[in-house]
Amino acid sequence: MQARRIAFWPLLVLAALLAGCASLPAPLQQIPSTALSDTGATRLGRATAPAAAAHPGKTGAYALPDGREAFAARYLLAQTAERSLDLQYYIWRSDTSGGLMAQAVLEAADRGVRVRLLLDDVNTGGFDTTLATLEAHPNIEVRLFNPFASRNWRAAAYLTDFSRLNRRMHNKSFTADNQVSVVGGRNIGDEYMGIEVPVEFTDLDVVLAGAVVPEISASFDAYWNSPSAYPAASLLPAASPDEIAAVRSAWDGLRASPLAAAYLATVHEMQLVRNAAAGTVPLEWVPARLVHDDPAKVLHPPERKETHMLPHLEAALGVPQRELILVSPYFVPGKQGAQALVDMAARGVNVTVLTNSLAATDVGPVYAGYVKYRSELLRAGVRLYELKRGSLPMGEQDKPRERHGIGGSTGGSSGASLHAKTFGVDRSRVYVGSLNLDPRSIRLNTEMGVVLESPALAGRLARVVEAEVPANAYELRLAPNGRVVWIERTGAGEITHNRTPETGVMRLLGVGLMMLLPIEWLL
């Protein structure tokens, strides 16, 4: 064993040297392009025009709390698009939903649709052949945001280029014909789209039409044409005809598989799909505002706040007068954020936070960062809830459950983890997007989302918190001795947990160790 450890270090050093020797191509190879503006005659344009004309300056919104509906909305847009698809994602898995969606995008390109696919490069490892296949299509262009120069030594690249590679594009948008967009917290992958996985993410997206869509397209253009977006063709070897044929064949096989066939059959039976076919999707027309980071954020020190979206988000949401609801899977408010919530509670605002429990989270270090602020917030009167593993808030309990790429039967997932990022103010305004309330989202990565002046959606969020969250999450309180306890509501009454529920000793020790490390700025 000792000999193996000794042999490992020269390999690691060699990998770091090889990664360090790789360099990115000159960004001058980039050819600028912008969203198509003359798309009013498309099917999507004709379908949304009457309602948009009846609500000038407003945006039609339809919430997608269900993962299968979220897939259906994107799938339908890919199938319906006639002129363009502009797609921006942090993660695109090579699993069932990722493969089905990629095939739908490829088929759109086969019909003559112009496709622009912008992916953050941190999660594309192993997908270079698939990306090169898409890039080879005359109607598809792929760009990679803040890419790795070395395609084979990614982990080692962090040792030589950490400051750059630590900055990622977390944005998520899917826009068809510059007429309809889907924006929210979901990436493309089975755990986001309601397919059987060990842990399914509970999330929220919105379908948008009308005034805000050109703003989303303009944001996409800014990222697409930014110096950090590299053409995939400048980074990847071209796909051979045999590789292209193999990828297409694999997607054909995937769509014919029992799991994909059952999933698509379920999706096609959803009310959203039937409404879309009948042209009766119930959009709520409201004032809306897009908020997003400047793509230059990843090129500047985190202190350069002029590139940050947070001040714009705060302005759009306004100052809470009565109620603030924060739903964030990764919640590390920091000293300033915690103090702001304490001050808000002190002036009588009802502040409620829903985040993941340690058992439900997929990122333990973030939970360690959050632990530092719990007692302070509870003493101030802030209500804290931690989602139980396997629970489904956000309005999903009453829906039948069916069962983290591009590359049996359905049933329920064995667990659930909160992934939605949504904030409600005074039951009148609501944010839906990609921003977590943690230092990484606020200072390091780029994010986006929409603020809707929607009493209906904001009220729905408040009702979920009141009626559903208490049964599906632990409520944290302070015991007389000042220690945090977890209150679990059951049919037999309340159960008080004096230690972190559903968590083993080793994981608790790991959280304790993480709390000692100066890593909050990375969380």
Side-chain angles (χ1 to χ4, degrees), residues 170-225:
H170 197 235
N171 309 41
K172 303 159 178 67
S173 68
F174 194 114
T175 302
D177 289 338
N178 199 11
Q179 295 291 332
V180 179
S181 297
V182 178
V183 169
R186 287 185 179 90
N187 297 295
I188 306 296
D190 289 355
E191 66 265 50
Y192 307 97
M193 300 297 175
I195 294 183
E196 184 176 358
V197 288
V199 176
E200 180 181 342
F201 285 133
T202 301
D203 222 320
L204 182 64
D205 299 319
V206 284
V207 177
L208 302 164
V212 83
V213 175
E215 296 180 31
I216 296 169
S217 292
S219 170
F220 180 93
D221 288 345
Y223 279 83
W224 181 258
N225 296 311

Side-chain angles (χ1 to χ4, degrees), residues 287-343:
R289 179 175 172 183
L290 177 73
V291 289
H292 64 90
D293 285 309
D294 188 316
K297 178 182 180 182
V298 301
L299 301 176
H300 298 301
E303 293 73 26
R304 290 278 297 273
K305 295 184 179 181
E306 65 270 20
T307 62
H308 294 192
M309 69 171 264
L310 186 61
H312 304 290
L313 174 60
E314 292 173 338
L317 285 173
V319 178
Q321 301 300 316
R322 302 179 304 279
E323 182 181 67
L324 174 65
I325 297 172
L326 303 175
V327 178
S328 179
Y330 313 125
F331 178 66
V332 185
K335 292 181 180 179
Q336 291 185 341
Q339 187 60 52
L341 295 178
V342 167
D343 293 343

Side-chain angles (χ1 to χ4, degrees), residues 7 29 88 95 99 101 103 133 143 211 220 361 395 438 455 485 523:
Q29 300 174 56
Q88 181 178 16
D95 51 19
M101 195 71 69
Q103 186 180 45
T133 295
R143 292 187 181 179
F220 180 93
T361 189
D438 61 19
V485 296
L523 302 178

Side-chain angles (χ1 to χ4, degrees), residues 76-158:
L76 286 172
L77 289 177
Q79 292 182 320
T80 306
E82 296 177 315
R83 297 287 309 283
S84 66
L85 285 171
D86 290 335
L87 317 176
Q88 181 178 16
Y89 281 96
Y90 176 63
I91 294 173
W92 193 309
R93 298 286 193 216
S94 60
D95 51 19
T96 300
S97 61
L100 290 172
M101 195 71 69
Q103 186 180 45
V105 169
L106 185 63
E107 290 173 344
D110 288 342
R111 299 194 307 268
V113 175
R114 186 193 75 172
V115 177
R116 296 188 295 173
L117 175 60
L118 178 60
L119 297 177
D120 186 89
D121 196 37
V122 76
N123 291 294
T124 62
F127 302 149
D128 282 2
T129 299
T130 303
L131 294 174
T133 295
L134 293 172
E135 173 66 26
H137 196 290
N139 292 325
I140 300 178
E141 186 177 357
V142 179
R143 292 187 181 179
L144 300 176
F145 194 87
N146 202 18
F148 288 73
S150 172
R151 310 309 295 171
N152 298 316
W153 302 97
R154 288 173 175 249
Y158 280 106

